[in-house]
Amino acid sequence: MPEPARHIVIIGGGIAGLCTGVYAQLCGYQVTILEQHAIPGGLATSWTRNGYTFETCLHWFLGSAPDGTLGRQWREVFDVDKLRFVDAEVYQRVETEDGRSLTFYSDVDRMEAELLHAAPEDAEEIMEFTSAIRRLANLPMDDLNAAWPRRTWAMLRLIPKLPLLTQWAGMSAAEYGKRFRNDLLRRFFTESATADMAAIALVLMFGWMSARNAGYAVGGAKSIIDAITQRFRALGGKLRLMAKVETILVEDDVAVGVRLSDGEIIRADWVISGADGHATIYDMLEGRYRNAAIDAFYDSQKVFPSYLQVSLGVARDLSQEPGFLARTLAKPLEIDPETSLDTVAFRIFHFDPTFAPAGKTAVTCFLPTWNYAYWQDLQRKDATAYEVEKRRIASAVIEILERRLPGVREAIEVTDVSTPASVMHFTGNWKGSMEGFLPTPGVGFRPRRQTLPGLHRFRMVGQWVQPGGGLPCGLMTARAAVRAICRRDHVAFLPDGPGRRDESMPRELFG
Ligand SMILES: Cc1cc2nc3c(=O)[nH]c(=O)nc-3n(C[C@H](O)[C@H](O)[C@H](O)COP(=O)(O)OP(=O)(O)OC[C@H]3O[C@@H](n4cnc5c(N)ncnc54)[C@H](O)[C@@H]3O)c2cc1C
């Protein structure tokens, strides 16, 4: 007689929770995903205002090419090839307000030629950077997550690249950028909100883009989330929206289910949290399953910033402009009492026809800040002042755009401002962080443990167990968690079909 499917409860319907749900359903589990918000997706989202769609997440999707890094793994989870990808010619154009500019092309050869032309004084450093991009473009990341023969082979292939990886992982982008004499080039590395991140992150990103394996999916992050949600439901998974988990229920150090904020109890054989890491450990589990190393990491490791986003619906065709435009300002923009920005970046979404009516363009401006507390306090304590501040920032951003595109102000028919308070409200992420832990030198992309000390039948997935975050971390941590659970339950990990019991595996009592 076939055994009844075991029930897994997943907290959070972001990319990590959804991917975990698909893998677990494929392995024969019965899955319930509990999502606090009215829509799935978490940070991978967009919103629509008066005919314009404003994307917050997707710049690039690692794995857009079927045979590139992560391509195969994404295709286990959903039909990626139904999406339409755009590979941007220009990654980013950097401009100063006094008329100088530098273009970072996605193609590494073109980028090299442009940078050498613009900054011949930095030729040696430019060549070192582009050579690293070429050599590290196709790391066998999928295979490091695979079963042992393939994993061993991937590790062997990695060995010759280890010195280069170590070199770039050991310094921050800011440290690296100081080597450049050209001020635009130097500022590109040293002034971004993620300048403390290991420089390897930039090398890898450019490598994936150059290999045309990090395209933008038309429809933005929502097109990806919708496709995974559909697959999850088609496999029989249950997604419950507006279901906020307050407590993870534990009996004799075994996670046995969750309690929702309305008091409902849902029992399960396994509990997996794809929600914010800090809230999971310190609130939902009341800090009972942690150790000094976990506390120290949460106390000291830098996280990606939170952000304000000014979104503009512009009744104008901006298709002649770069899709990603950074403006270095003559006078810094004051964001909040602790934050002023020398550079602001605009995304001009003429490359996504689904985001605005014909002849019009959705434009967003991302404004990073670590001062999430200021925005949260202001929203709670003084709603009027909060609105005034949002309007001030919107006017300042429009003024910057007007200097670049004279007359654009008159064409703006929608203005929308979100703040770190919005990020925290809609996703529950600690400090309103856009991507979890920053992969600083020393920490890099090394995954954190998915288990907590002393707690059985429990796993964590998503950006809080994989420094560096991003959509790929949702996929990779999901796959690793479900594989580990299958091993504990003696179920074969079979993403291509329903799971079956595998009696050859050693029996262990608890996960
Ligand atoms: C501006 C910006 C640009 C980005 N650009 C890119 C990019 O180009 N490429 C890329 O790959 N990545 C990008 N990212 C990063 C990427 O969006 C995130 O790292 C990723 O979506 C995180 O997924 P997650 O599932 O781990 O977490 P989340 O998306 O935070 O999902 C967690 C989910 O859990 C839910 N939840 C929280 N608490 C509870 C609770 N108590 N009960 C029930 N549900 C709960 C939340 O509502 C949320 O839906 C970007 C992010 C931002 C903000």
Side-chain angles (χ1 to χ4, degrees):
M1 274 242 308
E3 292 198 5
R6 294 183 183 213
H7 186 212
I8 297 184
V9 155
I10 297 175
I11 308 167
I15 190 101
L18 290 168
C19 290
T20 309
V22 169
Y23 275 122
Q25 284 286 151
L26 283 168
C27 294
Y29 288 89
Q30 180 55 52
V31 180
T32 306
I33 297 179
L34 301 165
E35 167 56 47
Q36 61 163 5
H37 192 14
I39 49 168
L43 289 163
T45 197
S46 59
W47 49 92
T48 298
R49 303 275 182 275
N50 299 348
Y52 291 92
T53 298
F54 298 124
E55 173 72 22
T56 194
C57 164
L58 196 67
H59 297 65
W60 43 271
F61 175 81
L62 173 61
S64 55
D67 48 359
T69 301
L70 286 192
R72 191 160 28 87
Q73 271 182 32
W74 279 119
R75 284 157 180 81
E76 290 171 343
V77 172
F78 75 107
D79 192 352
V80 180
D81 301 310
K82 279 204 174 135
L83 299 176
R84 188 157 74 76
F85 288 101
V86 177
D87 290 291
E89 223 177 288
V90 171
Y91 165 65
Q92 191 180 82
R93 181 175 159 91
V94 183
E95 297 175 349
T96 62
E97 293 202 305
D98 61 14
R100 288 172 303 133
S101 68
L102 193 60
T103 301
F104 288 83
Y105 288 99
S106 302
D107 176 78
V108 65
D109 298 334
R110 237 178 131 185
M111 175 165 79
E112 185 180 87
E114 157 79 2
L115 299 186
L116 286 174
H117 174 73
E121 67 275 28
D122 289 317
E124 202 178 315
E125 284 307 332
I126 292 168
M127 298 298 282
E128 196 191 348
F129 185 56
T130 50
S131 141
I133 291 172
R134 288 188 187 96
R135 292 189 55 203
L136 297 177
N138 254 327
L139 291 182
M141 276 164 61
D142 320 40
D143 295 347
L144 292 173
N145 212 355
W148 74 266
R150 189 177 244 145
R151 186 162 67 231
T152 309
W153 175 229
M155 285 169 135
L156 288 173
R157 274 154 59 213
L158 260 187
I159 288 172
K161 298 188 173 177
L162 280 180
L164 196 62
L165 275 169
T166 314
Q167 176 197 337
W168 287 91
M171 64 183 150
S172 69
E175 282 160 355
Y176 176 66
K178 284 183 193 146
R179 299 180 184 184
F180 292 99
R181 278 175 274 178
N182 177 286
D183 73 318
L184 285 184
L185 202 41
R186 193 171 57 246
R187 291 173 87 151
F188 175 79
F189 288 95
T190 59
E191 281 189 2
S192 112
T194 50
D196 288 337
M197 187 164 74
I200 185 73
L202 278 174
V203 171
L204 294 176
M205 181 194 73
F206 277 115
W208 296 324
M209 281 192 305
S210 188
R212 299 173 80 81
N213 188 29
Y216 169 85
V218 171
K222 190 169 174 300
S223 64
I224 296 165
I225 294 297
D226 285 352
I228 303 176
T229 304
Q230 244 176 44
R231 176 93 199 278
F232 173 66
R233 284 187 164 135
L235 288 167
K238 208 153 114 190
L239 170 63
R240 285 187 52 185
L241 301 170
M242 305 298 285
K244 180 169 177 152
V245 172
E246 207 161 72
T247 310
I248 296 170
L249 301 172
V250 179
E251 290 170 6
D252 298 328
D253 295 328
V254 178
V256 294
V258 296
R259 183 168 45 240
L260 302 187
S261 54
D262 65 3
E264 182 184 346
I265 286 177
I266 302 170
R267 292 189 71 90
D269 299 297
W270 286 89
V271 175
I272 302 178
S273 178
D276 167 61
H278 192 275
T280 300
I281 297 169
Y282 296 97
D283 301 336
M284 294 181 219
L285 285 164
E286 297 168 332
R288 281 177 293 148
Y289 297 95
R290 57 187 231 270
N291 55 26
I294 292 172
D295 287 348
F297 202 72
Y298 275 87
D299 281 347
S300 63
Q301 182 57 26
K302 201 163 183 182
V303 298
F304 279 91
S306 191
Y307 60 101
L308 290 90
Q309 180 169 313
V310 177
S311 305
L312 305 170
V314 183
R316 197 156 135 182
D317 177 354
L318 297 175
S319 54
Q320 297 311 309
E321 303 302 331
F324 195 9
L325 171 68
R327 295 282 288 171
T328 296
L329 307 175
K331 182 168 164 269
L333 170 62
E334 304 292 330
I335 300 294
D336 53 47
E338 283 175 17
T339 317
S340 71
L341 301 176
D342 293 318
T343 301
V344 297
F346 293 93
R347 298 187 73 200
I348 302 177
F349 282 93
H350 50 64
F351 50 85
D352 193 327
T354 66
F355 277 6
K360 302 184 176 186
T361 317
V363 175
T364 63
C365 179
F366 169 83
L367 304 164
T369 174
W370 273 278
N371 198 358
Y372 63 94
Y374 169 80
W375 292 98
Q376 207 181 27
D377 283 354
L378 199 62
Q379 190 206 37
R380 277 187 192 149
K381 293 179 187 156
D382 191 342
T384 311
Y386 179 68
E387 290 305 322
V388 168
E389 273 299 272
K390 283 183 13 174
R391 277 202 294 275
R392 176 184 69 78
I393 302 259
S395 310
V397 165
I398 291 170
E399 179 57 40
I400 294 166
L401 197 61
E402 175 71 22
R403 290 202 288 274
R404 171 64 169 71
L405 298 170
V408 79
R409 194 198 310 271
E410 275 68 54
I412 294 173
E413 46 187 20
V414 180
T415 304
D416 175 85
V417 183
S418 66
T419 75
S422 329
V423 181
M424 293 169 90
H425 174 73
F426 287 114
T427 73
N429 271 296
W430 191 44
K431 302 183 177 185
S433 175
M434 62 177 280
E435 225 166 308
F437 290 117
L438 205 64
T440 48
V443 167
F445 296 101
R446 211 172 318 121
R448 315 262 320 144
R449 277 184 180 281
Q450 298 192 332
T451 53
L452 291 175
L455 181 59
H456 303 288
R457 299 207 153 260
F458 172 81
R459 288 287 186 281
M460 285 171 73
V461 291
Q463 63 178 16
W464 296 98
V465 286
Q466 175 78 68
L471 302 175
C473 88
L475 175 74
M476 293 189 295
T477 58
R479 198 174 195 279
V482 176
R483 261 187 74 202
I485 286 174
C486 286
R487 205 175 309 129
R488 298 284 175 183
D489 282 351
H490 316 290
V491 170
F493 179 69
L494 287 177
D496 292 329
R500 59 185 161 75
R501 283 190 81 81
D502 182 350
E503 298 300 343
S504 66
M505 288 182 172
R507 183 164 282 278
E508 289 167 65
L509 278 180
F510 293 115

